[in-house]
Amino acid sequence: METNEQGYTSLNDRFLEELGLIKNTAELITLRARYIGKNGYVTAALKTLVGLPPELRGNVGRLINEDKNLITSALKEKEEELKKLEISRKITSSKIDITLPGYYKKAGGRHPVSIVMREVIDVFVSMGFSIEDGPEVETDYYNFEALNMPKDHPARDMQDTFYINTDYVNTGTPSAHNAGNTEGDVLLRTHTSAVQIRVMQREVAKSKEMQRSAPPLRFIAPGKVYRRDSDITHTPLFHQIEGLMVDTDISFANLKAVLEGFLQLVFDRRLPVRFRPSFFPFTEPSTEVDIGCFFCKQTGCRICKGTGWIEILGAGMVNPKVFQMVGYDPEHYCGFAFGMGIERITMLKYGIDDIRLFYEGDLRFLRQF
Ligand code: DAH
């Protein structure tokens, strides 16, 4: 350490000169260590104090401390200056253009068929119906046989069926003898009516176990169904809601009340409703239910094909043969069933004339709901 005649040469000039050359925080840290660190010049200078004549010590000590304070505050100032500089360097060098518009995610929406499905379910739930479910891959028995449609029944022709080649399912490859076989026992359900059978069977089994009579039922079964159909009013996959109400004293009047009430609620207006005699193997008597065409106020238009009426669902009193198949005593129980297509209701509610729009995934169409 240099000393003058007083025993100490100020470190200031040297320090300030070195400080002027500092370009970044890392250099600053080394400089700080060299001057005011444990082994730095300032500490070394303080250590020389003991070797000085006592009359100089006070003065020199004070000078060293003044230097130390000055160096410390100069370092601090420089540190802050460097930090600011580094931040602004980072900002100017990074590639972010903060004037660009931000990214945003478009919100998804419900599909119109889902919207109407929920509305229909809500109406029946408000009437006390519970919700049941069944498999989409069904057996011939639940889809046809138990609904009073034996193998040779002509009513099967009303529903063009996708049969599943079970040979293919079991082995992963279609075998020669089974390729093209359309008479398998496994199929894609053609209607949700199959759920009627499954639920009644389940309840009969439960009640036998508990040694009491089969319970009254009031449920709907919403879900997907499949048919070999494709045109402007048919798609191979579509949605239905099935309904079943069973008790000891259910009449056609109950059927009418429930379905009329449902139609007013779901179409949100007072509508003329007409019950037309029809045929379904699983109901007797059977009916098809029409609503007055609200597009033309029943004067006749393209949508009602000039009749003033629009067919909306099928229904009827449960055929005693069906009760027999599932083990509900037909002498004791009666009930009504109904089934409807959700796409059809959606098309009417929104005035859509081509069912295929639902399944083309065109966002210009879907964003309207
Ligand atoms: N399953 C019939 C169909 O898909 C609709 C139907 C008609 C269901 C009458 C019923 C019913 O429960 O009683 O065409």
Side-chain angles (χ1 to χ4, degrees), residues 147 149 158-159 190-194 196 225 227 238 240-244 255 279-280 282-283 285-288 313-318 336-341:
L147 286 160
M149 274 186 274
M158 284 157 58
Q159 304 179 359
T190 58
H191 54 181
T192 43
S193 304
Q196 288 186 29
V225 297
R227 288 184 203 179
F238 62 105
Q240 282 190 335
I241 288 193
E242 189 77 14
L244 183 68
L255 178 159
F279 175 81
F280 298 102
F282 33 91
T283 45
S286 301
T287 176
E288 273 173 308
L313 53 84
M317 302 306 292
V318 178
F336 66 82
F338 56 89
M340 67 191 87

Side-chain angles (χ1 to χ4, degrees), residues 267 269 271 291-298 308 310 348-349:
F267 286 100
R269 63 191 100 200
L271 282 168
I291 53 173
C293 181
F294 49 82
F295 292 99
C296 61
K297 300 223 159 51
Q298 295 196 278
I310 300 171
L348 292 170
K349 278 189 70 131

Side-chain angles (χ1 to χ4, degrees), residues 325-346:
M325 295 285 256
V326 294
Y328 264 81
D329 178 4
E331 295 296 323
H332 195 58
Y333 290 95
C334 54
F336 66 82
F338 56 89
M340 67 191 87
I342 301 302
E343 277 79 354
R344 184 164 169 71
I345 296 176
T346 311

Side-chain angles (χ1 to χ4, degrees), residues 4 15 58 64 79 91 120 128 133 144 265 301 303 323 361 365:
N4 61 8
F15 169 76
I64 298 175
E79 187 180 7
I91 289 172
V120 172
D133 200 6
F144 291 126
L265 284 170
C301 67
I303 292 166
F323 279 140
F365 170 74

